[in-house]
Amino acid sequence: MRRRTFTAGTAGGAGAALLAAAGCEAPGDAAYGGGRAGLPGAPVTLTILTHYASEPLRSALESAVGAWNATHRRVKVRTTAVKFTDLLTTYMVRQAAGQGPDILHPSGLWTGQLVRAGVLRPAPRDTARLIRRDFTPAAVAAASANGTVYGYPTEVQAYALYYHRRLLREAGVGGPPRTWRELEDTAYRTARRDRHGNTLVQGFGLSRADDSTVVGQTLALLAAGGGAFLTPDGRRTALGSAVGREVLDLERRLIERGAADPGIPLFRAFPSGQVAMTVNAGWWTAGLRAAMGGDYRDVGVAPVPGRAPGDRGTLATGFLLGVNARSRYPRQAWEFLHWLNAAPVPAARPAGAGRPRGAVSRMSALQVSVGSMTGRAADMRALLGGEGGHGGGRGGSGGGDANLGPFLDALHYAVPQPNGPRAQRATALLRKNIEEIWTGRAPVDTALATLTRQIDQELSRPY
């Protein structure tokens, strides 16, 4: 899974906003009797292990934790961060050694694995009820396993179609494609090569950067066509369906006919105007704004095309904050997580956005400040200053950026990434076989047969 460098900006500085919000509360520890209640013993210290090891995420989280520590004398919180690529292994190793953190911040892809390993504690009944009420279904699913909620959803990402208006206009295309057929036609019309056959512009960008880009692009297209990666019970792959074959055939045709080249780094080529369209998650908007400057005005975002006009579907991925099953202080940990993820504070006004309305959680403010989103759709509308919509108008001008509108809309219809006990391994196998198709090492039918056998075997293994 790709972990990206966020660019701060859409909601201003996270630290200032969160510290200001904290000032609305009286100091103390009311949930535990408060500083004046004379609780015996030394203060409780909760530990959080997260992947927010780089800026601006690191400072944003530390500012929120600092606001808590400034107003709570009996319960303190300390953060530790590792690189995302080391996070799952670190959780498992520390848990086995009896040194696990009180609070974990894993990818939703790992929820089932961590639950099966006895690492995550179920959320209290009232907390689970609140999460199901206030968060979108895909966000709740990422934080759940077997119908049980295990934490507060934090960052949530939906996928949409990014496109270059200028490149489409120069090819005589009036707007973004709505169907797979239109996507394919637009990709061929916008692709350009020089007289030596070198690629100048890809019509559609396919990225081999990591699991999340390879798999995320494919599963977003699959969902837009009404397909699924796994069967409803999560025990077998469903990619052998007619829809699955169509998606993989489409990707292979684009490569064979010169409209796509997975060997060209997408994350450099698109900002440089060398890719007309691609599918990616909403976090990319902040990075594109920073990298492209004034040229960002040429970037548009639209829903992922489906099989027919009006089809709606895409992939959602997410993270959660949960409590370790072995924590000595679960009550205090859940109280801190409620403060961070659910307790309402006034919404700050994003630079360039419409007038914010209502109150939001500190985590929603934190995520928007670094160019991300949460699964609390009401928070996103308040923080982004609009009602969503499909871009172009003020209603979808999240944080002054109309391109966030389609991602806000997608929170309501996106399907969650499967997160059973072997989801991480199944995702790696899917990536491997997709790349076999992209590189021409295996035809679609052969790769489908192989990935079906491999993934079904993996999912059937005892844990």
Side-chain angles (χ1 to χ4, degrees):
M1 177 177 293
R2 182 178 180 83
R3 292 306 302 151
R4 53 271 178 207
T5 300
F6 284 118
T7 301
T10 50
L18 292 169
L19 285 169
C24 299
E25 298 185 352
D29 298 81
Y32 318 110
R36 292 179 292 274
L39 291 179
V44 168
T45 298
L46 301 173
T47 57
I48 302 177
L49 177 58
T50 181
H51 56 288
Y52 286 2
S54 60
E55 299 298 348
L57 289 166
R58 182 186 184 96
S59 292
L61 180 59
E62 288 180 350
S63 292
V65 169
W68 166 276
N69 288 337
T71 55
H72 293 77
R73 289 176 289 179
R74 287 288 181 177
V75 179
K76 301 296 183 180
V77 178
R78 185 177 71 245
T79 62
T80 303
V82 298
K83 293 188 298 183
F84 176 77
T85 51
D86 298 330
L87 187 60
L88 179 59
T89 299
T90 303
Y91 284 147
M92 302 302 283
V93 170
R94 293 193 182 184
Q95 193 76 358
Q99 299 173 351
D102 295 290
I103 298 172
L104 300 88
H105 194 192
S107 166
L109 179 66
W110 310 331
T111 303
Q113 181 176 348
L114 292 172
V115 169
R116 186 67 65 90
V119 179
L120 284 173
R121 177 186 299 267
R125 183 178 304 174
D126 289 347
T127 298
R129 185 181 302 116
L130 179 151
I131 290 169
R132 291 192 179 99
R133 183 194 71 193
D134 292 347
F135 290 81
T136 55
V140 175
S144 303
N146 300 319
T148 299
V149 176
Y150 284 90
Y152 282 96
T154 58
E155 172 193 340
V156 172
Q157 296 294 339
Y159 284 69
L161 180 81
Y162 286 84
Y163 63 96
H164 262 284
R165 292 188 177 91
R166 176 179 58 80
L167 294 177
L168 267 61
R169 186 170 59 250
E170 290 174 352
V173 179
R178 300 168 298 163
T179 66
W180 292 347
R181 179 172 293 180
E182 291 179 1
L183 183 150
E184 188 168 5
D185 178 65
T186 301
Y188 297 145
R189 291 174 65 177
T190 52
R192 290 192 294 112
R193 292 177 178 270
D194 64 17
R195 61 189 181 89
H196 302 292
N198 299 312
T199 299
L200 298 176
V201 175
Q202 296 182 71
F204 189 82
L206 294 169
S207 175
R208 296 177 61 186
D210 51 30
D211 287 357
S212 69
T213 50
V214 174
V215 171
Q217 290 174 315
T218 301
L219 294 189
L221 286 165
L222 182 70
F229 176 24
L230 303 180
T231 55
D233 62 9
R235 296 182 178 180
R236 300 178 67 84
T237 181
L239 268 174
S241 66
V243 181
R245 290 173 183 270
E246 283 186 61
V247 170
L248 295 173
D249 278 332
L250 169 62
E251 292 177 346
R252 184 60 204 156
R253 282 198 306 275
L254 291 172
I255 296 169
E256 288 178 338
R257 298 180 185 180
D261 185 349
I264 297 176
L266 173 66
F267 295 103
R268 291 202 299 267
F270 186 91
S272 301
Q274 297 172 314
V275 177
M277 302 176 293
T278 191
V279 170
N280 206 356
W283 63 264
W284 204 22
T285 58
L288 288 174
R289 283 198 305 272
M292 297 178 68
D295 290 339
Y296 181 70
R297 68 174 68 91
D298 287 331
V299 177
V301 175
V304 177
R307 301 174 91 184
D311 283 353
R312 282 292 179 269
T314 189
L315 177 72
T317 61
F319 286 77
L320 66 145
L321 277 167
V323 177
N324 196 321
R326 297 184 185 176
S327 173
R328 295 171 55 196
Y329 312 110
R331 183 170 60 89
Q332 292 91 332
W334 285 116
E335 181 67 20
F336 167 74
L337 292 183
H338 176 88
W339 177 91
L340 181 62
N341 296 277
V345 295
R349 179 187 175 92
R355 184 175 183 177
R357 288 167 289 178
V360 300
S361 73
R362 292 170 176 84
M363 179 55 69
S364 290
L366 185 160
Q367 292 297 333
V368 170
S369 76
V370 297
S372 185
M373 303 177 79
T374 71
R376 296 178 66 105
D379 283 7
M380 293 302 98
R381 286 192 294 271
L383 285 163
L384 300 179
E387 294 292 344
H390 300 294
R394 294 180 66 183
S397 62
D401 186 351
N403 285 337
L404 292 178
F407 297 106
L408 180 55
D409 290 345
L411 292 177
H412 298 283
Y413 62 78
V415 299
Q417 186 178 31
N419 67 349
R422 297 197 176 279
Q424 175 68 65
R425 177 60 180 159
T427 299
L429 290 170
L430 177 56
R431 175 192 178 180
K432 176 184 176 182
N433 284 282
I434 290 173
E435 289 188 335
E436 290 290 296
I437 296 171
W438 287 2
T439 57
R441 290 193 292 263
V444 170
D445 285 345
T446 300
L448 271 172
T450 300
L451 74 84
T452 297
R453 182 182 70 255
Q454 292 177 343
I455 293 175
D456 287 355
Q457 287 178 349
E458 182 65 30
L459 295 175
S460 67
R461 289 175 54 200
Y463 193 81

